[in-house]
Amino acid sequence: MYDFILILHFLGLAMGAGTSFYMLGLALHSRRLKDPEAAKKIMLGAGGTISGVGLLGLILLLASGYFLLLQSDIDINTLNWAFWMKMVMVAAILFYTVTMKVFAIKAKRREGEEGIAAMKKMKRFALIGPFFAFLVISFAVLAFR
């Protein structure tokens, strides 16, 4: 059972971390477009769909991580500093994901300058997602080596 949960955990990691890199690519591509409405369609069309996959991956990652801890009989008080830094980064990723989702909802629902301003915020913060993914993976490697 442990191996199956670990597989689900890595699947969630691939879905969640991969989404942040995909969204960064979309943001960089949409910056090159002269028409803000065209950029909005790209970010909220394909980007909206793929961000749903990333959110599902994040949920899978959290749930499987919880069950991995239960299955391994690890005393939570004995976990090292890298594990706790990983958990801080998981919290940061959750906050980042919710914030980006709020920006996407505002961009989708609001027309004109308000919608475009929300899109600009999404593009500005797009670099943070891959950075967080790198950090959480790095701390996970340090925690469980």
Side-chain angles (χ1 to χ4, degrees):
M1 185 64 152
Y2 181 85
D3 289 340
F4 177 70
I5 296 171
L6 188 59
I7 289 168
L8 291 178
H9 195 66
F10 282 116
L11 180 62
L13 175 63
M15 291 166 64
T19 296
S20 66
F21 288 96
Y22 181 83
M23 293 302 290
L24 174 62
L26 276 183
L28 293 174
H29 173 70
S30 68
R31 280 185 179 173
R32 290 186 231 142
L33 300 174
K34 304 232 185 287
D35 180 20
E37 287 300 320
K40 185 175 173 180
K41 282 183 182 178
I42 288 174
M43 290 294 291
L44 298 178
T49 301
I50 200 68
S51 73
V53 171
L55 189 57
L56 180 64
L58 188 57
I59 292 167
L60 181 60
L61 190 66
L62 292 170
S64 62
Y66 174 75
F67 286 111
L68 282 173
L69 282 175
L70 288 180
Q71 289 280 319
S72 63
D73 293 328
I74 293 175
D75 179 11
I76 202 159
N77 296 319
T78 64
L79 294 169
N80 63 16
W81 66 271
F83 175 83
W84 294 110
M85 285 303 299
K86 178 182 89 92
M87 295 311 295
V88 167
M89 294 315 308
V90 167
I93 288 171
L94 282 171
F95 180 76
Y96 171 78
T97 302
V98 169
T99 302
M100 291 298 272
K101 204 66 164 164
V102 168
F103 289 153
I105 290 168
K106 283 183 181 179
K108 197 173 224 174
R109 290 187 180 164
R110 301 218 168 93
E111 297 296 323
E113 288 301 313
E114 273 189 280
I116 292 176
M119 283 301 305
K120 287 181 180 177
K121 288 178 183 176
M122 286 178 71
K123 289 184 216 176
R124 189 176 316 128
F125 293 119
L127 276 172
I128 296 172
F131 179 66
F132 282 160
F134 171 79
L135 288 176
V136 78
I137 292 168
S138 298
F139 286 122
V141 167
L142 292 173
F144 297 107
R145 63 182 172 137

